[in-house]
């Protein structure tokens, strides 16, 4: 039967058809040429493959799709919307893909007029659906924006310390306040793709990870470099795992400072968490979540005081000698392991030994001496 033959024609040439559709997208829809290769040949290619395979099933069984068979298309559309891909570009991809498939199916039809009429019909469908849907979504967006604005207004008020007297607004007794620094994804530095789209993709993955973590809407003020998140969860072990999971999802290192706060104390806790974040970044700590209790000594030594200035002066002989200062920092962070220090600095262990001896000669403080180590650690922190 004809429909079974067409189904077999499509499924047997699946890889070739998907490749042709992607080539047409790159040629005719400029936005797709600006997508990161990871997205184009990953998610976009996967949803095209799914659609072609599904069409083969529907042709063979001579029926329309069940609602559940379109779940992946719905999920893909949501992701494109979160990344800011215009709806008309999304729909144009579906209609262009359908046109490619129709041209392939009818390539052996002798009646060229029939072939042309159907190609024209599909082309018109592509145009009118794109235009109408784009207009519809402009109107729909204004409705959805109101929910987004409500969340944004709430976190803005909390961050500003504005009293919220609305009796209909039920706030938790305490928030977990997280201040994040998000590193760069490789796509953001790739000049061949759109850094804006790459940043939005990273942000979507970060937001998705937080949304999966809690059943309630996440209050956040984030951009591709980091920001603030307020959560009702207060289990710090789970929150530490969450930050690591966020970094994995983002494809970039994520480091955070955190603390607990009542709604009224959110601004003060944000300031404290920011100071903790900046401190652990300066000290070169690994990605993860840190609270004040994790860095009490380091935090105190970094506060302005006469003693701090005196401690910082101990390392003045190393000014202008960045290799020596860097070696000392890495050596102390690696618990006095010369082999780990050498590996991190990409030098020979003998080079580490030489530099440590030079530090002792210049400062009078020996990194190998238990008596001098507290002064060296404190001096590093004070700087």
């Amino acid at each position: 039967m004809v429909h079974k033959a067409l189904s077999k024609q499509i499924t047997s040439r699946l890889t070739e058809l998907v490749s042709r559709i992607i080539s047409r997208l790159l040629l005719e829809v400029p936005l797709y040429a600006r997508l990161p290769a990871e997205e184009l040949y990953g998610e976009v290619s996967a949803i095209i493959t799914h659609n072609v395979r599904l069409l083969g099933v529907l042709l063979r069984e001579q029926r329309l799709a069940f609602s559940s068979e379109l779940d992946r298309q719905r999920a893909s559309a949501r992701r494109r919307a979160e990344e800011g891909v215009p709806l008309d570009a999304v729909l144009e991809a579906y209609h262009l893909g359908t046109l490619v498939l129709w041209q392939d199916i009818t390539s052996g039809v002798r009646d060229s007029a029939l072939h042309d009429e159907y190609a024209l019909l599909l082309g018109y469908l592509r145009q009118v659906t794109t235009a109408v849907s784009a207009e519809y979504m402009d109107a729909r967006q204004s409705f959805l924006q109101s929910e987004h604005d409500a969340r944004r207004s709430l976190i803005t008020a909390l961050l500003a310390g504005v009293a919220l007297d609305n009796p209909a607004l039920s706030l938790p007794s305490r928030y977990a306040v997280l201040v994040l620094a998000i590193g760069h994804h490789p796509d953001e530095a790739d000049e061949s793709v759109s850094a804006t789209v790459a940043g939005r993709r990273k942000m979507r993955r970060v937001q998705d990870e937080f949304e999966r973590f809690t059943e309630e809407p996440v209050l956040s003020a984030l951009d591709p470099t980091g920001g603030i998140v307020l959560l009702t969860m207060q289990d710090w072990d789970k929150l530490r795992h969450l930050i690591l999971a966020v970094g994995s999802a983002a494809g970039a290192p994520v480091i955070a400072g955190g603390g607990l706060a009542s709604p009224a104390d959110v601004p003060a806790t944000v300031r404290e968490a920011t100071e903790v974040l900046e401190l652990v970044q300066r000290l070169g700590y690994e990605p993860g979540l840190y609270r004040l209790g994790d860095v009490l000594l380091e935090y105190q030594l970094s506060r302005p005081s006469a003693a701090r200035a005196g401690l910082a002066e101990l390392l003045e002989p190393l000014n202008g000698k960045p290799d020596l200062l860097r070696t000392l920092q890495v050596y102390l962070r690696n618990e006095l392991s010369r082999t780990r220090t050498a590996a991190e600095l990409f030098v020979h262990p003998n080079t580490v030994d030489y530099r440590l001896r030079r530090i002792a000669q210049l400062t009078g403080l020996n990194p190998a001496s238990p008596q001098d180590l507290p002064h060296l650690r404190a001096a590093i922190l004070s700087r």
Side-chain angles (χ1 to χ4, degrees), residues 148-383:
H148 171 79
D149 288 347
R151 282 202 232 177
R152 176 67 65 170
S153 296
L154 176 56
I155 190 172
T156 298
L158 288 168
L159 294 176
V162 176
L164 298 166
D165 300 324
N166 185 348
L169 189 61
S170 177
L171 297 179
S173 59
R174 290 202 295 180
Y175 285 105
V177 178
L178 308 178
V179 181
L180 277 64
I182 306 173
H184 285 290
H185 187 281
D187 282 339
E188 292 179 275
D190 188 342
E191 295 182 356
S192 67
V193 302
S194 168
T196 299
V197 171
R200 285 175 177 168
R201 281 176 56 76
K202 182 179 71 174
M203 283 302 308
R204 185 256 296 171
R205 293 192 295 268
V206 168
Q207 193 71 34
D208 282 352
E209 200 63 36
F210 278 115
E211 295 287 354
R212 276 194 290 270
F213 184 72
T214 176
E215 295 180 357
E216 301 178 6
V218 174
L219 296 180
S220 63
L222 294 168
D223 62 37
T225 65
I228 300 168
V229 178
L230 304 183
L231 298 172
T232 56
M233 168 64 70
Q234 297 170 22
D235 185 324
W236 286 97
D237 286 335
K238 290 184 178 179
L239 287 169
R240 291 181 198 278
H241 287 301
L242 171 63
I243 293 301
L244 294 177
V246 167
S248 178
V254 175
I255 190 166
L260 291 178
S262 67
D265 291 334
V266 165
T269 305
V270 167
R271 288 192 293 272
E272 178 186 283
T274 301
E275 291 176 343
V276 170
L277 171 61
E278 292 173 347
L279 176 61
V280 296
Q281 285 181 302
R282 289 201 305 272
L283 294 174
Y285 280 24
E286 295 294 317
L289 173 60
Y290 299 87
R291 292 189 292 169
L292 180 59
D294 299 319
V295 290
L296 284 174
L297 177 61
E298 295 90 337
Y299 185 87
Q300 184 59 38
L301 288 172
S302 68
R303 301 299 90 190
S305 70
R308 173 184 162 187
L311 287 168
E313 288 175 1
L314 295 176
L315 297 182
E316 279 192 356
L318 303 186
N319 288 345
K321 299 176 177 61
D323 287 346
L324 296 184
L325 187 59
R326 173 67 174 155
T327 299
L328 179 60
Q329 290 173 321
V330 175
Y331 179 70
L332 295 176
R333 191 174 71 245
N334 281 308
E335 301 176 342
L336 315 186
S337 170
R338 58 192 287 274
T339 55
R340 291 206 302 270
T341 300
E344 184 171 337
L345 295 175
F346 301 103
V347 298
H348 193 278
N350 289 344
T351 301
V352 174
D353 289 337
Y354 168 76
R355 291 178 181 178
L356 294 177
R357 289 195 298 271
R358 284 291 294 151
I359 290 169
Q361 293 169 1
L362 291 170
T363 66
L365 298 170
N366 184 359
S369 168
Q371 290 78 20
D372 291 342
L373 275 176
H375 292 84
L376 286 168
R377 291 184 187 276
I380 287 287
L381 291 168
S382 297
R383 287 175 65 93

Side-chain angles (χ1 to χ4, degrees), residues 113-147:
L114 178 63
H115 184 173
D116 292 343
E117 291 297 327
Y118 272 102
L120 181 62
L121 176 63
L122 287 172
Y124 172 75
L125 180 63
R126 170 185 168 191
Q127 291 177 312
V128 71
T129 306
T130 298
V132 170
S133 298
E135 189 69 23
Y136 169 81
M137 285 306 298
D138 280 344
R140 178 67 175 169
Q141 186 62 32
S142 64
F143 172 78
L144 297 176
Q145 189 67 36
S146 63
E147 181 179 351

